[in-house]
Each structure stands twice: as structure tokens, then as C-alpha cells.
Amino acid sequence: MTTEKMNMLDAFLNASMLLGGMGPVKTEGLSAEGKLFAGIYALYAGLVFIAVMSIMLAPVVHRIMHRLHWESVAEKE
């Protein structure tokens, strides 16, 4: 907000788009409601992507841990 002289809504939109991997956005011509929706949707989409990938990769990571014989400290005792 400070360095680019943006208002709070524009800064939120750009930050959420960057966190979601979509890049910066030109905010001219967008309504305040549209900016808010786009920012919240970008954050939601990023969280859903992380959740789905962690569910999909959990069996693969579990198999790798078994293959490398990784054990927890509680199992060794």
C-alpha cells in the first residue's frame, strides 16, 4: 500500500493474486465488489490447490518413507 500508493482494496487484490500464482492485476475498470470477489477467490483457489495436492501426494510420500525405512522416534523404543 505504501510503496505503490494503492488503496487497501487494490493492494489486497494484487497481494491475493500474487499468492494465488496469478500475477499482478490492472485494477482500472473493476468495481469494488469485483475486486473483493476476485481477491477472495484467488486465496480460496490457492488453498484448495494446496489441499488437493497434499491429499493426492500423501500416499506417494508415505510409500517413499517406507521405502527409505524412515521410522519415528516412538517406533524405535
Side-chain angles (χ1 to χ4, degrees), residues 7-49:
N7 62 23
M8 187 178 287
L9 192 57
D10 291 341
F12 167 73
L13 176 63
N14 276 317
S16 60
M17 289 294 187
L18 286 171
L19 285 172
M22 299 175 200
V25 176
K26 293 190 178 211
T27 58
E28 295 87 27
L30 297 175
S31 67
E33 294 83 9
K35 291 176 186 179
L36 187 60
F37 174 76
I40 292 171
Y41 186 75
L43 291 176
Y44 169 75
L47 289 175
V48 167
F49 176 75

